[in-house]
Structures are given as C-alpha cells and as structure tokens.
Amino acid sequence: MSKQLYINEIQSLFDNVQRSKIFEDQKMMTDAVPLFPIAEINAKYEKEKEVDGFNLKDFVLKNFDFLGAKISIQREKQLPIDQHIEKLWDELTRTAYEEKGTLLKLPKPYIVPGGRFNEFFYWDSYFIMLGLQVSGRVEMMENIIENCSYLIQHVGFVPNASRTHFLSRSQPPYFSLMLDLLFETTKDETIYTKYHSTLEKEYAFWMDGEDGLEKDSSIKRVVKTNSGDVLNRYYDAENTPRPESYVIDIEDAENAPGEQFYRNIRSACESGWDFSSRWFEDGETIQTIETLNIAEVDVNCLLWHLEKTLAKSSALQNFTEKQNYFTQRAADRKRMIDYYFWDENAGTYKDYHTKKHKKTYSEHIAALYPLFLGLANEEQAKAVSETIAEKFLYKGGLVTTTKKSGQQWDLPNGWAPYQWLGYKGMMNYGFTAVAEEIKNNWCSNVERVYNNTGKLMEKYNALDTETIAGGGEYPNQDGFGWTNGVYLKLKQN
C-alpha cells in the first residue's frame, strides 16, 4: 500500500486552493481525484497561473474529479424511519478496489458515514455494525472486520479514515469489540484465532515506544507516569495543518503558544472528539489545546479490552505464555484505570493530566467506558449512573460534556456512540430506568428530526429538541452511519 501523499506533490497548488477558499468545505480538495498525471497538472498550473485572467477554480475543476464528494439522500416519498435506514445501507455502500487520489484501496465493500464523509471511518464502523447486526447483514459486518484487518496488516493500524492524509493517526481502537459483535452474531469462536495476529499488531501500534521509556515521560501513544505505570494517550505523528481543515488550522495557530499546536489538534482528532473543551487548558479556547498532556480514560479502557481479547485468543490456541502475559497486562491496566481515572469526590471517571500529575477538570461522557466494558465496581457504577442522570441526560439524550464552548463535542450536542455506551453501561449494572430514559429520549429526538426533515443526522441537540445541532468546523451532516446503527440497535432492545 502506497503512503505517497499526492497532496504533497501538488503542495503549491493545494496551498493556493485552500487559502483562496474557493470551496466552502476544505475537505473538497483533499478528496479530489486528479484527471491527469500530477507532474502534468503542476506544469500547467505553474504556466497558466501567470497568465492574465487566470481563474483558479476553473483550473481545478478542469484538472480534478469531484464526483462523490458529498452524498445527498433524496426521497420522493418519506418512508418509515426503519425502512429508510434499510435503504441507506445500500446507498452508503462503497468499494475502493484501487487507490484514487487520496482514497486508499480496501479489499471489501464498506459503509461510509454519509454527507461529506465518503470514505471508510474506523470507530464509526463499529456503531454502523450494531445496525447491520439488527438488519441481518452479517456479510457486511465481516467485510468491515476484513477491511480493518487489511489496514492493520498493511499499514500497521486502522487510520482515522481510508485516505492517505490520515496515515499519521488512528481512532479509538474498536477492532476487538468488532470481533465480539461478530461472535455475538455468529457464535463462531474461530473469529478470535483468525484475527489473532491482527490483534497483536494493533496492540503493538498502540504500545510502540514503551520499552526503555523513562518515568514521567511519553513517546507516541505511550506515557509512563512518575510512579512507573504505563498509560496510553491519543497522538498523531505529524505536526502540520490538517489538509482537510488546512486554513482553519493555520488561522487557529496564529495566536496559539508552543510548537506542538498542530500535533495537539491532530491528536484530538485521533480520539474522534474534534473538538471539545475536554482538550483545552482553559476550558474555552482551541488555542490552549493540550491533548498531548492527557492520558484518556476511553483509550485505556479500550486497550484493556484489547488485552483481554488477546488473552482469550491466546488461550484458544494454547499459547500459554502469551495468555499469561496479556492477562497480567489487563489486570495491571484495570488497577491503573481505578487509580488514575476514578474521581471519588466527583462520582465519575476523568482523564489524567500527565504533566500536572492529577485528574483533569473536564466532566465528560467518556466516563461511560468502564461501565460499558464492565470495569467499574458496583459503587463506582452507582455513582456514575447518578452523575449521568443529573448532569448529562436531557430530553434529547446524553450530552458529551457539561461545558458549552461552541465546539461540536460539547454541550448541547448528543452523539450516537454515547447513547449506546450509556444504555449498555447502565444495563450492565442494573440501572434499567436510566438506560430506558437514555434510549427513549434519544430515539424520540432522532424520530422527531427525521419526521421534520426526512434526514438522519450526524449529531443532535439534546437540550433544545426543537432545533438541529450545530457547532464545529462544518455543518451537520445527513446520512448518517452511526446514527442509523445505534438507532436500530436501541429500538431492538
């Protein structure tokens, strides 16, 4: 698989296009497919840009293909919501058997989120799979897993999304949970042994740099505390503006201190939470983003699950030494999750600031992960359930933080993944009333927006159910993969 970034090959043209803002969405140019060899386009550009009357947008439209840049769903007649979603599975299905522009090739068909997102996304795909399970589309569930495995085996990890400019970061590691979901569907335990080497390779990616790391230091996605414990964080290998948000990043960086602003921005993107007050030192402005200084509760819980799954897949193959190793790693991480992330006074889990050696201030919905995965004890689960009911649950579902900053992963927005994590986490510990309220509030919100607009959205306003969610770097998107998946799964329960 080529890691050649064709964006780098047209850097002068790309920079001019993005700075000129000839497209409303900066993602347009990153997704464009060159119609001619890059050298030829560059030569034409260098020659023609000096000519009087040169029109940059006309030049770009003549030399690049923008087909499929945005998915628009149109219906002559509005169907019942569940029938609409069934049709969407086919309409959101894509193939990429060869590389085109920045789009990476993948061996199997896949489901894209929708709207401006016309490629394979990592953690989105798990929540899409929840709906595919309800729809009985087992083959597509298997396709998603096979595509993830292909990327892990060929790239070393699953990129944020299947484009070359995402080859510097991943997303929350859900591959082991995807295997659980398929096992739950097929009862075929060989799924774990089939993908054992893939699980190992993803684990190696997240733990890369651990050996030799000194106390109170970090490298890539690994942090060693001043007590010598090993935690993980989100990270991105590049420290440059994101191509898909090029000018936004350049403008935000103008008043940002420090040399790691772009990497902090990109690292937050690896979490899927782009962006939130969760990452901001002052809780208000993106210029104070400090993702690199934070070890997050969600990624550490997911890696605990990966360690548990590796212990299981090792046991199935009688790899006793590996089974013991991963069992111990999981046990160690469980202890660390309790020590570093549990805030007894606040009755919730928080992230850990690795430079200040204390928990961060931000109250956020990632506190659900220990309940979703069964890591919390009964007292912790009860406290979190009360915190969730008091501070996060509104008439339109669960919000992501208690802070209103204007960022899309803050109040008042509610996102599909956390409605499922909340419902399942509450059910795991017997808090059925809270679970049912989460389910009913969010599903009613989704149904209301669908009845009014004929659309399923990327995110929802959980406070004011008369309006559509906003905030962030781009408008709310229609489609929408993980909303479809979580809605179907919740309605089934």
Side-chain angles (χ1 to χ4, degrees):
M1 178 176 292
S2 168
K3 293 195 179 184
Q4 180 70 43
L5 285 173
Y6 100 78
I7 287 173
N8 290 345
E9 297 177 26
I10 57 164
Q11 185 56 43
S12 174
L13 172 59
F14 181 82
D15 181 79
N16 195 1
V17 169
Q18 299 295 63
R19 289 179 185 272
S20 300
K21 300 182 182 178
I22 62 173
F23 298 115
E24 188 177 338
D25 188 344
Q26 294 258 294
K27 191 175 184 293
M28 285 283 290
M29 193 61 195
T30 68
D31 296 359
V33 178
L35 294 170
F36 310 102
I38 294 297
E40 187 179 318
I41 293 175
N42 275 335
K44 281 194 290 186
Y45 172 65
E46 292 301 323
K47 181 180 178 182
E48 294 180 23
K49 73 177 182 179
E50 305 299 333
V51 177
D52 287 344
F54 173 72
N55 186 296
L56 181 60
K57 188 168 186 177
D58 285 348
F59 177 86
V60 170
L61 292 174
K62 285 175 186 173
N63 287 280
F64 294 87
D65 183 357
F66 292 87
L67 289 175
K70 183 173 174 62
I71 301 165
S72 180
I73 308 296
Q74 304 294 334
R75 297 255 189 273
E76 288 184 15
K77 181 174 134 187
Q78 191 163 319
L79 298 168
I81 190 169
D82 55 340
Q83 292 180 32
H84 179 75
I85 292 173
E86 287 300 329
K87 283 188 171 289
L88 280 174
W89 292 140
D90 295 324
E91 292 168 5
L92 296 175
T93 297
R94 296 290 182 274
T95 58
Y97 297 131
E98 58 183 43
E99 291 188 12
K100 287 185 178 179
T102 59
L103 190 66
L104 299 173
K105 70 176 182 179
L106 290 170
K108 301 288 185 181
Y110 52 90
I111 307 283
V112 300
R116 75 200 281 265
F117 303 110
N118 202 8
E119 54 275 301
F120 180 87
F121 274 79
Y122 185 11
W123 79 312
D124 294 61
S125 294
Y126 173 77
F127 298 98
I128 287 168
M129 284 176 68
L130 293 172
L132 294 173
Q133 182 191 48
V134 175
S135 297
R137 298 187 180 225
V138 180
E139 184 179 358
M140 185 58 81
M141 294 174 71
E142 293 170 338
N143 288 345
I144 288 170
I145 288 172
E146 190 61 27
N147 284 330
C148 286
S149 180
Y150 172 82
L151 288 164
I152 292 167
Q153 293 294 346
H154 287 79
V155 177
F157 61 99
V158 185
N160 182 151
S162 60
R163 291 195 180 273
T164 54
H165 50 279
F166 292 130
L167 288 169
S168 57
R169 66 176 177 267
S170 186
Q171 271 193 330
Y174 265 85
F175 184 71
S176 58
L177 280 158
M178 291 177 177
L179 297 186
D180 279 0
L181 194 58
L182 186 59
F183 171 68
E184 178 189 304
T185 309
T186 65
K187 308 304 181 191
D188 181 5
E189 211 168 38
T190 63
I191 189 81
Y192 296 105
T193 55
K194 178 180 179 181
Y195 291 107
H196 177 80
S197 69
T198 303
L199 291 164
E200 284 189 312
K201 196 158 188 176
E202 181 170 51
Y203 189 67
F205 166 76
W206 284 93
M207 303 309 297
D208 185 25
E210 174 188 16
D211 295 340
L213 189 62
E214 296 181 359
K215 289 182 180 180
D216 202 14
S217 63
S218 57
I219 185 170
K220 298 181 183 177
R221 291 160 181 83
V222 186
V223 174
K224 186 170 277 191
T225 69
N226 52 4
S227 300
D229 289 323
V230 176
L231 297 170
N232 288 84
R233 65 176 181 174
Y234 292 113
Y235 180 82
D236 188 298
E238 297 290 335
N239 189 31
T240 55
R242 294 167 295 153
E244 72 278 13
S245 300
Y246 191 74
V247 173
I248 296 170
D249 284 358
I250 289 171
E251 291 174 350
D252 283 341
E254 287 175 2
N255 300 310
E259 298 177 355
Q260 296 285 311
F261 176 77
Y262 294 128
R263 182 169 280 128
N264 276 301
I265 284 283
R266 286 166 164 269
S267 299
C269 293
E270 184 166 81
S271 77
W273 287 43
D274 39 341
F275 293 99
S276 167
S277 58
R278 179 184 182 186
W279 314 121
F280 304 162
E281 186 177 23
D282 66 359
E284 302 287 345
T285 55
I286 201 163
Q287 282 76 18
T288 67
I289 192 166
E290 57 169 355
T291 322
L292 294 170
N293 293 336
I294 299 170
E296 298 89 353
V297 62
D298 44 1
V299 70
N300 282 280
C301 288
L302 288 166
L303 288 169
W304 171 85
H305 185 271
L306 177 51
E307 287 160 346
K308 291 285 285 185
T309 306
L310 276 161
K312 178 178 181 174
S313 65
S314 297
L316 288 169
Q317 298 170 93
N318 297 314
F319 297 159
T320 307
E321 192 174 327
K322 285 184 178 181
Q323 179 189 353
N324 293 340
Y325 173 77
F326 287 113
T327 299
Q328 187 60 52
R329 292 303 303 251
D332 290 343
R333 196 180 293 269
K334 184 178 188 301
R335 173 188 61 79
M336 291 186 290
I337 288 168
D338 269 342
Y339 182 78
Y340 291 99
F341 303 118
W342 174 245
D343 187 334
E344 189 164 357
N345 293 329
T348 191
Y349 292 89
K350 293 185 176 180
D351 297 325
Y352 181 74
H353 198 292
T354 61
K355 301 296 185 189
K356 297 177 181 176
H357 310 299
K358 64 180 184 179
K359 292 166 186 67
T360 61
Y361 70 90
S362 178
E363 293 181 302
H364 55 71
I365 203 73
L368 287 168
Y369 274 89
L371 280 70
F372 174 65
L373 294 172
L375 274 160
N377 63 35
E378 295 298 329
E379 292 77 17
Q380 290 167 329
K382 185 175 187 296
V384 171
S385 73
E386 291 169 355
T387 300
I388 292 295
E390 179 189 349
K391 296 184 175 182
F392 291 85
L393 181 52
Y394 290 85
K395 62 181 178 179
L398 292 172
V399 295
T400 39
T401 72
T402 56
K403 183 87 175 176
K404 193 168 188 176
S405 69
Q407 298 294 339
Q408 64 173 354
W409 283 87
D410 278 327
L411 195 86
N413 290 343
W415 296 75
Y418 288 92
Q419 316 307 315
W420 175 247
L421 267 60
Y423 174 83
K424 191 74 168 68
M426 295 303 137
M427 291 297 286
N428 285 345
Y429 290 86
F431 304 116
T432 53
V434 181
E436 286 297 319
E437 193 174 352
I438 292 167
K439 166 187 165 179
N440 293 333
N441 289 13
W442 187 73
C443 287
S444 296
N445 200 2
V446 172
E447 289 161 0
R448 175 192 60 80
V449 172
Y450 178 70
N451 290 335
N452 290 341
T453 67
K455 298 178 184 298
L456 286 137
M457 299 294 189
E458 180 189 18
K459 58 185 181 281
Y460 291 82
N461 189 319
L463 273 64
D464 182 359
T465 56
E466 298 305 310
T467 63
I468 291 174
E473 298 178 338
Y474 55 86
N476 204 347
Q477 299 297 305
D478 171 32
F480 196 86
W482 60 22
T483 298
N484 308 340
V486 170
Y487 176 83
L488 287 184
K489 187 68 174 175
L490 284 173
K491 295 297 281 189
Q492 182 195 55
N493 281 266

PDB file of all heavy atoms in Angstrom, residues 339-362:
ATOM      1  N   TYR A 339      -6.920   3.794  39.624  1.00  0.00           N
ATOM      2  CA  TYR A 339      -6.046   4.728  40.325  1.00  0.00           C
ATOM      3  C   TYR A 339      -5.990   6.100  39.640  1.00  0.00           C
ATOM      4  O   TYR A 339      -6.066   7.143  40.302  1.00  0.00           O
ATOM      5  CB  TYR A 339      -4.636   4.142  40.440  1.00  0.00           C
ATOM      6  CG  TYR A 339      -3.676   5.030  41.188  1.00  0.00           C
ATOM      7  CD1 TYR A 339      -3.697   5.091  42.576  1.00  0.00           C
ATOM      8  CD2 TYR A 339      -2.750   5.824  40.499  1.00  0.00           C
ATOM      9  CE1 TYR A 339      -2.824   5.926  43.274  1.00  0.00           C
ATOM     10  CE2 TYR A 339      -1.871   6.651  41.181  1.00  0.00           C
ATOM     11  CZ  TYR A 339      -1.917   6.704  42.567  1.00  0.00           C
ATOM     12  OH  TYR A 339      -1.056   7.530  43.258  1.00  0.00           O
ATOM     13  N   TYR A 340      -5.834   6.099  38.328  1.00  0.00           N
ATOM     14  CA  TYR A 340      -5.586   7.359  37.615  1.00  0.00           C
ATOM     15  C   TYR A 340      -6.851   8.060  37.125  1.00  0.00           C
ATOM     16  O   TYR A 340      -6.833   9.280  36.947  1.00  0.00           O
ATOM     17  CB  TYR A 340      -4.636   7.132  36.432  1.00  0.00           C
ATOM     18  CG  TYR A 340      -3.233   6.806  36.862  1.00  0.00           C
ATOM     19  CD1 TYR A 340      -2.780   5.485  36.895  1.00  0.00           C
ATOM     20  CD2 TYR A 340      -2.355   7.807  37.277  1.00  0.00           C
ATOM     21  CE1 TYR A 340      -1.484   5.181  37.303  1.00  0.00           C
ATOM     22  CE2 TYR A 340      -1.063   7.512  37.689  1.00  0.00           C
ATOM     23  CZ  TYR A 340      -0.633   6.195  37.710  1.00  0.00           C
ATOM     24  OH  TYR A 340       0.642   5.899  38.123  1.00  0.00           O
ATOM     25  N   PHE A 341      -7.921   7.322  36.897  1.00  0.00           N
ATOM     26  CA  PHE A 341      -9.091   7.926  36.251  1.00  0.00           C
ATOM     27  C   PHE A 341     -10.324   8.050  37.152  1.00  0.00           C
ATOM     28  O   PHE A 341     -11.193   8.868  36.870  1.00  0.00           O
ATOM     29  CB  PHE A 341      -9.447   7.146  34.986  1.00  0.00           C
ATOM     30  CG  PHE A 341      -8.327   7.063  33.993  1.00  0.00           C
ATOM     31  CD1 PHE A 341      -7.789   5.833  33.626  1.00  0.00           C
ATOM     32  CD2 PHE A 341      -7.780   8.207  33.430  1.00  0.00           C
ATOM     33  CE1 PHE A 341      -6.736   5.753  32.724  1.00  0.00           C
ATOM     34  CE2 PHE A 341      -6.739   8.144  32.529  1.00  0.00           C
ATOM     35  CZ  PHE A 341      -6.207   6.906  32.170  1.00  0.00           C
ATOM     36  N   TRP A 342     -10.411   7.249  38.195  1.00  0.00           N
ATOM     37  CA  TRP A 342     -11.593   7.330  39.054  1.00  0.00           C
ATOM     38  C   TRP A 342     -11.486   8.514  40.003  1.00  0.00           C
ATOM     39  O   TRP A 342     -10.506   8.669  40.731  1.00  0.00           O
ATOM     40  CB  TRP A 342     -11.777   6.040  39.857  1.00  0.00           C
ATOM     41  CG  TRP A 342     -12.888   6.135  40.867  1.00  0.00           C
ATOM     42  CD1 TRP A 342     -12.787   6.090  42.221  1.00  0.00           C
ATOM     43  CD2 TRP A 342     -14.281   6.325  40.588  1.00  0.00           C
ATOM     44  NE1 TRP A 342     -14.018   6.239  42.816  1.00  0.00           N
ATOM     45  CE2 TRP A 342     -14.957   6.381  41.825  1.00  0.00           C
ATOM     46  CE3 TRP A 342     -15.012   6.456  39.400  1.00  0.00           C
ATOM     47  CZ2 TRP A 342     -16.342   6.562  41.922  1.00  0.00           C
ATOM     48  CZ3 TRP A 342     -16.385   6.643  39.488  1.00  0.00           C
ATOM     49  CH2 TRP A 342     -17.042   6.690  40.729  1.00  0.00           C
ATOM     50  N   ASP A 343     -12.515   9.385  39.975  1.00  0.00           N
ATOM     51  CA  ASP A 343     -12.584  10.549  40.859  1.00  0.00           C
ATOM     52  C   ASP A 343     -13.739  10.332  41.832  1.00  0.00           C
ATOM     53  O   ASP A 343     -14.894  10.569  41.495  1.00  0.00           O
ATOM     54  CB  ASP A 343     -12.789  11.823  40.042  1.00  0.00           C
ATOM     55  CG  ASP A 343     -12.702  13.090  40.882  1.00  0.00           C
ATOM     56  OD1 ASP A 343     -12.978  13.024  42.100  1.00  0.00           O
ATOM     57  OD2 ASP A 343     -12.372  14.153  40.321  1.00  0.00           O
ATOM     58  N   GLU A 344     -13.397   9.883  43.037  1.00  0.00           N
ATOM     59  CA  GLU A 344     -14.443   9.519  44.003  1.00  0.00           C
ATOM     60  C   GLU A 344     -15.261  10.728  44.433  1.00  0.00           C
ATOM     61  O   GLU A 344     -16.490  10.642  44.580  1.00  0.00           O
ATOM     62  CB  GLU A 344     -13.808   8.861  45.236  1.00  0.00           C
ATOM     63  CG  GLU A 344     -14.830   8.260  46.167  1.00  0.00           C
ATOM     64  CD  GLU A 344     -14.219   7.281  47.158  1.00  0.00           C
ATOM     65  OE1 GLU A 344     -12.999   7.034  47.089  1.00  0.00           O
ATOM     66  OE2 GLU A 344     -14.979   6.764  47.990  1.00  0.00           O
ATOM     67  N   ASN A 345     -14.608  11.850  44.587  1.00  0.00           N
ATOM     68  CA  ASN A 345     -15.318  13.056  45.030  1.00  0.00           C
ATOM     69  C   ASN A 345     -16.346  13.526  44.005  1.00  0.00           C
ATOM     70  O   ASN A 345     -17.427  13.984  44.365  1.00  0.00           O
ATOM     71  CB  ASN A 345     -14.325  14.180  45.333  1.00  0.00           C
ATOM     72  CG  ASN A 345     -13.452  13.867  46.532  1.00  0.00           C
ATOM     73  OD1 ASN A 345     -13.883  13.179  47.455  1.00  0.00           O
ATOM     74  ND2 ASN A 345     -12.218  14.364  46.519  1.00  0.00           N
ATOM     75  N   ALA A 346     -15.986  13.399  42.734  1.00  0.00           N
ATOM     76  CA  ALA A 346     -16.892  13.839  41.667  1.00  0.00           C
ATOM     77  C   ALA A 346     -17.884  12.747  41.266  1.00  0.00           C
ATOM     78  O   ALA A 346     -18.840  13.021  40.542  1.00  0.00           O
ATOM     79  CB  ALA A 346     -16.081  14.276  40.445  1.00  0.00           C
ATOM     80  N   GLY A 347     -17.641  11.509  41.707  1.00  0.00           N
ATOM     81  CA  GLY A 347     -18.533  10.407  41.358  1.00  0.00           C
ATOM     82  C   GLY A 347     -18.505  10.078  39.886  1.00  0.00           C
ATOM     83  O   GLY A 347     -19.519   9.712  39.291  1.00  0.00           O
ATOM     84  N   THR A 348     -17.320  10.190  39.274  1.00  0.00           N
ATOM     85  CA  THR A 348     -17.202   9.901  37.845  1.00  0.00           C
ATOM     86  C   THR A 348     -15.746   9.603  37.505  1.00  0.00           C
ATOM     87  O   THR A 348     -14.849   9.748  38.330  1.00  0.00           O
ATOM     88  CB  THR A 348     -17.711  11.091  37.009  1.00  0.00           C
ATOM     89  OG1 THR A 348     -17.829  10.692  35.639  1.00  0.00           O
ATOM     90  CG2 THR A 348     -16.787  12.302  37.101  1.00  0.00           C
ATOM     91  N   TYR A 349     -15.522   9.154  36.280  1.00  0.00           N
ATOM     92  CA  TYR A 349     -14.163   8.964  35.763  1.00  0.00           C
ATOM     93  C   TYR A 349     -13.746  10.215  34.997  1.00  0.00           C
ATOM     94  O   TYR A 349     -14.558  10.834  34.299  1.00  0.00           O
ATOM     95  CB  TYR A 349     -14.114   7.756  34.831  1.00  0.00           C
ATOM     96  CG  TYR A 349     -14.315   6.436  35.526  1.00  0.00           C
ATOM     97  CD1 TYR A 349     -15.593   5.907  35.693  1.00  0.00           C
ATOM     98  CD2 TYR A 349     -13.228   5.699  36.012  1.00  0.00           C
ATOM     99  CE1 TYR A 349     -15.788   4.686  36.330  1.00  0.00           C
ATOM    100  CE2 TYR A 349     -13.411   4.479  36.647  1.00  0.00           C
ATOM    101  CZ  TYR A 349     -14.694   3.978  36.805  1.00  0.00           C
ATOM    102  OH  TYR A 349     -14.886   2.780  37.439  1.00  0.00           O
ATOM    103  N   LYS A 350     -12.480  10.575  35.121  1.00  0.00           N
ATOM    104  CA  LYS A 350     -11.930  11.721  34.396  1.00  0.00           C
ATOM    105  C   LYS A 350     -10.623  11.318  33.734  1.00  0.00           C
ATOM    106  O   LYS A 350     -10.083  10.251  34.004  1.00  0.00           O
ATOM    107  CB  LYS A 350     -11.693  12.893  35.352  1.00  0.00           C
ATOM    108  CG  LYS A 350     -12.979  13.491  35.925  1.00  0.00           C
ATOM    109  CD  LYS A 350     -12.677  14.714  36.763  1.00  0.00           C
ATOM    110  CE  LYS A 350     -13.951  15.364  37.260  1.00  0.00           C
ATOM    111  NZ  LYS A 350     -13.667  16.563  38.084  1.00  0.00           N
ATOM    112  N   ASP A 351     -10.119  12.177  32.869  1.00  0.00           N
ATOM    113  CA  ASP A 351      -8.813  11.949  32.259  1.00  0.00           C
ATOM    114  C   ASP A 351      -7.722  12.331  33.259  1.00  0.00           C
ATOM    115  O   ASP A 351      -7.977  12.967  34.284  1.00  0.00           O
ATOM    116  CB  ASP A 351      -8.666  12.774  30.980  1.00  0.00           C
ATOM    117  CG  ASP A 351      -9.681  12.381  29.919  1.00  0.00           C
ATOM    118  OD1 ASP A 351     -10.014  11.184  29.840  1.00  0.00           O
ATOM    119  OD2 ASP A 351     -10.141  13.273  29.181  1.00  0.00           O
ATOM    120  N   TYR A 352      -6.484  11.958  32.919  1.00  0.00           N
ATOM    121  CA  TYR A 352      -5.346  12.223  33.802  1.00  0.00           C
ATOM    122  C   TYR A 352      -4.350  13.133  33.107  1.00  0.00           C
ATOM    123  O   TYR A 352      -3.911  12.854  31.985  1.00  0.00           O
ATOM    124  CB  TYR A 352      -4.672  10.902  34.194  1.00  0.00           C
ATOM    125  CG  TYR A 352      -3.493  11.060  35.121  1.00  0.00           C
ATOM    126  CD1 TYR A 352      -3.678  11.377  36.461  1.00  0.00           C
ATOM    127  CD2 TYR A 352      -2.190  10.883  34.649  1.00  0.00           C
ATOM    128  CE1 TYR A 352      -2.585  11.524  37.326  1.00  0.00           C
ATOM    129  CE2 TYR A 352      -1.094  11.017  35.509  1.00  0.00           C
ATOM    130  CZ  TYR A 352      -1.300  11.341  36.839  1.00  0.00           C
ATOM    131  OH  TYR A 352      -0.225  11.489  37.678  1.00  0.00           O
ATOM    132  N   HIS A 353      -4.013  14.237  33.758  1.00  0.00           N
ATOM    133  CA  HIS A 353      -3.036  15.184  33.213  1.00  0.00           C
ATOM    134  C   HIS A 353      -1.634  14.705  33.578  1.00  0.00           C
ATOM    135  O   HIS A 353      -1.257  14.689  34.754  1.00  0.00           O
ATOM    136  CB  HIS A 353      -3.284  16.582  33.772  1.00  0.00           C
ATOM    137  CG  HIS A 353      -2.645  17.672  32.973  1.00  0.00           C
ATOM    138  ND1 HIS A 353      -1.273  17.841  32.890  1.00  0.00           N
ATOM    139  CD2 HIS A 353      -3.183  18.650  32.189  1.00  0.00           C
ATOM    140  CE1 HIS A 353      -1.000  18.876  32.115  1.00  0.00           C
ATOM    141  NE2 HIS A 353      -2.146  19.396  31.669  1.00  0.00           N
ATOM    142  N   THR A 354      -0.873  14.309  32.574  1.00  0.00           N
ATOM    143  CA  THR A 354       0.419  13.651  32.823  1.00  0.00           C
ATOM    144  C   THR A 354       1.516  14.619  33.243  1.00  0.00           C
ATOM    145  O   THR A 354       2.543  14.192  33.786  1.00  0.00           O
ATOM    146  CB  THR A 354       0.878  12.876  31.570  1.00  0.00           C
ATOM    147  OG1 THR A 354       1.051  13.790  30.480  1.00  0.00           O
ATOM    148  CG2 THR A 354      -0.158  11.830  31.179  1.00  0.00           C
ATOM    149  N   LYS A 355       1.324  15.914  33.006  1.00  0.00           N
ATOM    150  CA  LYS A 355       2.326  16.906  33.425  1.00  0.00           C
ATOM    151  C   LYS A 355       2.019  17.448  34.823  1.00  0.00           C
ATOM    152  O   LYS A 355       2.927  17.705  35.612  1.00  0.00           O
ATOM    153  CB  LYS A 355       2.383  18.078  32.429  1.00  0.00           C
ATOM    154  CG  LYS A 355       2.722  17.670  31.000  1.00  0.00           C
ATOM    155  CD  LYS A 355       4.107  17.086  30.886  1.00  0.00           C
ATOM    156  CE  LYS A 355       4.472  16.810  29.434  1.00  0.00           C
ATOM    157  NZ  LYS A 355       5.725  16.053  29.315  1.00  0.00           N
ATOM    158  N   LYS A 356       0.740  17.608  35.113  1.00  0.00           N
ATOM    159  CA  LYS A 356       0.334  18.137  36.418  1.00  0.00           C
ATOM    160  C   LYS A 356       0.145  17.018  37.446  1.00  0.00           C
ATOM    161  O   LYS A 356      -0.076  17.291  38.619  1.00  0.00           O
ATOM    162  CB  LYS A 356      -0.950  18.951  36.282  1.00  0.00           C
ATOM    163  CG  LYS A 356      -0.802  20.186  35.404  1.00  0.00           C
ATOM    164  CD  LYS A 356      -2.120  20.928  35.242  1.00  0.00           C
ATOM    165  CE  LYS A 356      -1.970  22.151  34.341  1.00  0.00           C
ATOM    166  NZ  LYS A 356      -3.275  22.819  34.111  1.00  0.00           N
ATOM    167  N   HIS A 357       0.170  15.775  36.964  1.00  0.00           N
ATOM    168  CA  HIS A 357       0.028  14.598  37.832  1.00  0.00           C
ATOM    169  C   HIS A 357      -1.274  14.621  38.635  1.00  0.00           C
ATOM    170  O   HIS A 357      -1.286  14.324  39.837  1.00  0.00           O
ATOM    171  CB  HIS A 357       1.239  14.479  38.781  1.00  0.00           C
ATOM    172  CG  HIS A 357       2.560  14.581  38.086  1.00  0.00           C
ATOM    173  ND1 HIS A 357       2.955  13.685  37.114  1.00  0.00           N
ATOM    174  CD2 HIS A 357       3.562  15.485  38.199  1.00  0.00           C
ATOM    175  CE1 HIS A 357       4.158  14.030  36.677  1.00  0.00           C
ATOM    176  NE2 HIS A 357       4.545  15.115  37.300  1.00  0.00           N
ATOM    177  N   LYS A 358      -2.337  14.974  37.960  1.00  0.00           N
ATOM    178  CA  LYS A 358      -3.650  14.953  38.615  1.00  0.00           C
ATOM    179  C   LYS A 358      -4.743  14.821  37.554  1.00  0.00           C
ATOM    180  O   LYS A 358      -4.475  14.977  36.354  1.00  0.00           O
ATOM    181  CB  LYS A 358      -3.863  16.217  39.441  1.00  0.00           C
ATOM    182  CG  LYS A 358      -3.895  17.513  38.625  1.00  0.00           C
ATOM    183  CD  LYS A 358      -4.107  18.713  39.548  1.00  0.00           C
ATOM    184  CE  LYS A 358      -4.229  20.010  38.741  1.00  0.00           C
ATOM    185  NZ  LYS A 358      -4.465  21.179  39.643  1.00  0.00           N
ATOM    186  N   LYS A 359      -5.936  14.541  37.996  1.00  0.00           N
ATOM    187  CA  LYS A 359      -7.050  14.384  37.067  1.00  0.00           C
ATOM    188  C   LYS A 359      -7.417  15.736  36.456  1.00  0.00           C
ATOM    189  O   LYS A 359      -7.265  16.781  37.096  1.00  0.00           O
ATOM    190  CB  LYS A 359      -8.254  13.761  37.786  1.00  0.00           C
ATOM    191  CG  LYS A 359      -7.998  12.308  38.195  1.00  0.00           C
ATOM    192  CD  LYS A 359      -9.020  11.797  39.174  1.00  0.00           C
ATOM    193  CE  LYS A 359      -8.635  10.408  39.651  1.00  0.00           C
ATOM    194  NZ  LYS A 359      -7.390  10.405  40.463  1.00  0.00           N
ATOM    195  N   THR A 360      -7.898  15.711  35.239  1.00  0.00           N
ATOM    196  CA  THR A 360      -8.302  16.954  34.575  1.00  0.00           C
ATOM    197  C   THR A 360      -9.648  17.418  35.131  1.00  0.00           C
ATOM    198  O   THR A 360     -10.375  16.655  35.761  1.00  0.00           O
ATOM    199  CB  THR A 360      -8.399  16.758  33.059  1.00  0.00           C
ATOM    200  OG1 THR A 360      -9.385  15.753  32.783  1.00  0.00           O
ATOM    201  CG2 THR A 360      -7.062  16.330  32.461  1.00  0.00           C
ATOM    202  N   TYR A 361      -9.962  18.669  34.867  1.00  0.00           N
ATOM    203  CA  TYR A 361     -11.207  19.257  35.387  1.00  0.00           C
ATOM    204  C   TYR A 361     -12.440  18.784  34.613  1.00  0.00           C
ATOM    205  O   TYR A 361     -13.546  18.766  35.140  1.00  0.00           O
ATOM    206  CB  TYR A 361     -11.134  20.791  35.292  1.00  0.00           C
ATOM    207  CG  TYR A 361     -11.196  21.261  33.867  1.00  0.00           C
ATOM    208  CD1 TYR A 361     -12.416  21.555  33.264  1.00  0.00           C
ATOM    209  CD2 TYR A 361     -10.036  21.331  33.088  1.00  0.00           C
ATOM    210  CE1 TYR A 361     -12.471  21.933  31.931  1.00  0.00           C
ATOM    211  CE2 TYR A 361     -10.092  21.702  31.767  1.00  0.00           C
ATOM    212  CZ  TYR A 361     -11.306  22.004  31.192  1.00  0.00           C
ATOM    213  OH  TYR A 361     -11.376  22.344  29.856  1.00  0.00           O
ATOM    214  N   SER A 362     -12.270  18.429  33.338  1.00  0.00           N
ATOM    215  CA  SER A 362     -13.401  18.226  32.436  1.00  0.00           C
ATOM    216  C   SER A 362     -14.277  17.043  32.852  1.00  0.00           C
ATOM    217  O   SER A 362     -13.796  15.933  33.058  1.00  0.00           O
ATOM    218  CB  SER A 362     -12.896  17.991  31.003  1.00  0.00           C
ATOM    219  OG  SER A 362     -13.990  17.739  30.133  1.00  0.00           O
TER     220      SER A 362
END
